[in-house]
Every structure is written in C-alpha cells, then in structure tokens.
Amino acid sequence: MKQLARTPKDIGHAIREARKGQRLSQAELASRSGLWQETISKIENGVASTKMETLFDVLAALDLEIQVQPRSKGAPSSMEDLF
Amino acid sequence: MKQLARTPKDIGHAIREARKGQRLSQAELASRSGLWQETISKIENGVASTKMETLFDVLAALDLEIQVQPRSKGAPSSMEDLF
DNA sequence: AGTCATTATGATCTTTAGATCATAGAATCG
DNA sequence: CGATTCTATGATCTAAAGATCATAATGACT
C-alpha cells in the first residue's frame, strides 16, 4: 500500500487509511505516538500543517516510512482532490 | 533516485542531494519556493523540524514528491546515521 | 593570498502548531 | 431508542518555526 503525497492533505489521508487498516482509533494512535486525539484528527483532516517531527512520530507509530522521489508523470497526486 | 526518510534529518539530506543534482544554490531554491536561504539551510541540516507546508513548498520547487509506505525490512533508514 | 559565491548561525519578532480541557457531532450496537 | 465509543471543533496558553537582518564560516577559483 503506497500512497503518493504532494500536500499535507494527502498525507493526512494516507495516515487515516493506514490507521484504519490497523484498526486503531485516533485515541489509540495518539497515545502510541505521544500525541493527542485532537491533534491526530487535525492532521488527518489537514487542518493544521503539522511539523515534520510530529508527522514522523505518527508514521513511526503506524510503522510507516516516507520515500522522497521525483514527481511521477501520470497520477496527479490524488483523484479526489480534484473535486 | 529514491530516498527513504524516517526522520527530519533524512529529509533534509534528500533535499540537499536533489538540490545539488539540479545545480541550485540554497538561495535559488529559497526564492523558487518562497522561503529564505537561511530556512533552507536549517531544513537541510535538520536544525528546525520544518512544517509540512514548508516542506511541500520546497519539494514542489524541486519537482519531488513523497510516498507513504510500510517500513521496509532491510535498510535501517540510512547507514550514515549509525555513525 | 585575495575575491566572490555559498552556506551557517545568531538575534529578535510574529505567527502558529500542539497541549490541554471542554464539548459537540457522528457512528455503532445492544 | 439510548448508551457508548469515536471523531471534530473551539478556546486558551506555551513552545517553537519562519521571516528578516546581520554576519561569520566555508568553499571555489584565479
């Protein structure tokens, strides 16, 4: 399951999917990553443009990592963002 | 050229490599991404744990994107970080 | 060595993410 | 339906990112 991300919203989205895939509540993820449920909510919804530090905390809690790569041709980030 | 990242430092590193690959100075990258040379320097050195918003500004300026994925087995982030 | 370009660092100020508490809204399920 | 669990939002406060200016350190090149 690889998710492209070009905006904070994309990442929030990817995080939510991963969290659900692992059957975790925001509160659980929060406690695992040393954050608050409210903060997770905001991150997932792209409300606050999180600090990297924080981002990596939740990525680690979900056992995810990030790959930096040249922009791929085709896919414009994520289809849904167009609507 | 794909670069794994599990810490802000990893990302700073990846950014610096990409910037050099494109023969840009920090000042040029800064102006392209609407930031300051000083800020780019700090990001590349992992001094300040950048906001995602800012991060995406520089990624866009370098025509990079990010992929969120499950942690790969082997490679522990980056070899150099161990020393 | 001396010059020019590039990068690092340090200070101050403003803005904002995140903590924290409270609570409103959804969703799920007996 | 009502109860419970999960998620969103709103307020206040504190810590820290980024702008901005100045300048030091480093690197390249002749």
Side-chain angles (χ1 to χ4, degrees), chain A residues 29-71:
Chain A
L29 176 53
S31 107
R32 287 193 187 194
S33 49
L35 300 172
W36 261 240
Q37 176 268 315
E38 294 87 330
T39 303
I40 302 288
S41 168
K42 283 167 192 165
I43 291 173
E44 289 187 353
N45 291 297
V47 169
S49 185
T50 322
K51 279 185 286 171
M52 268 206 275
E53 224 171 11
T54 309
L55 172 63
F56 282 113
D57 286 346
V58 357
L59 289 180
L62 288 169
D63 212 53
L64 298 173
E65 68 190 0
I66 261 180
Q67 194 157 21
V68 182
Q69 61 190 21
R71 292 206 172 190

Side-chain angles (χ1 to χ4, degrees), chain B residues 25-37:
Chain B
S25 69
Q26 291 183 345
E28 280 167 331
L29 177 55
S31 105
R32 288 193 186 194
S33 50
L35 300 172
W36 262 241
Q37 177 269 315

Side-chain angles (χ1 to χ4, degrees), chain B residues 2-73:
Chain B
K2 301 187 176 191
Q3 272 293 340
L4 276 207
R6 292 182 181 176
T7 66
K9 215 166 269 257
D10 289 343
I11 290 218
H13 191 242
I15 286 177
R16 168 161 290 165
E17 291 314 307
R19 174 176 65 77
K20 286 190 172 171
Q22 298 181 33
R23 305 267 141 66
L24 296 173
S25 69
Q26 291 183 345
E28 280 167 331
L29 177 55
S31 105
R32 288 193 186 194
S33 50
L35 300 172
W36 262 241
Q37 177 269 315
E38 293 87 330
T39 304
I40 302 289
S41 168
K42 283 166 192 165
I43 291 172
E44 289 188 353
N45 291 298
V47 169
S49 186
T50 321
K51 278 184 287 172
M52 268 207 274
E53 225 171 9
T54 309
L55 172 63
F56 281 112
D57 286 345
V58 356
L59 290 180
L62 289 170
D63 211 54
L64 298 173
E65 68 189 2
I66 262 181
Q67 195 157 21
V68 182
Q69 61 190 21
R71 292 208 172 189
S72 43
K73 260 288 154 239

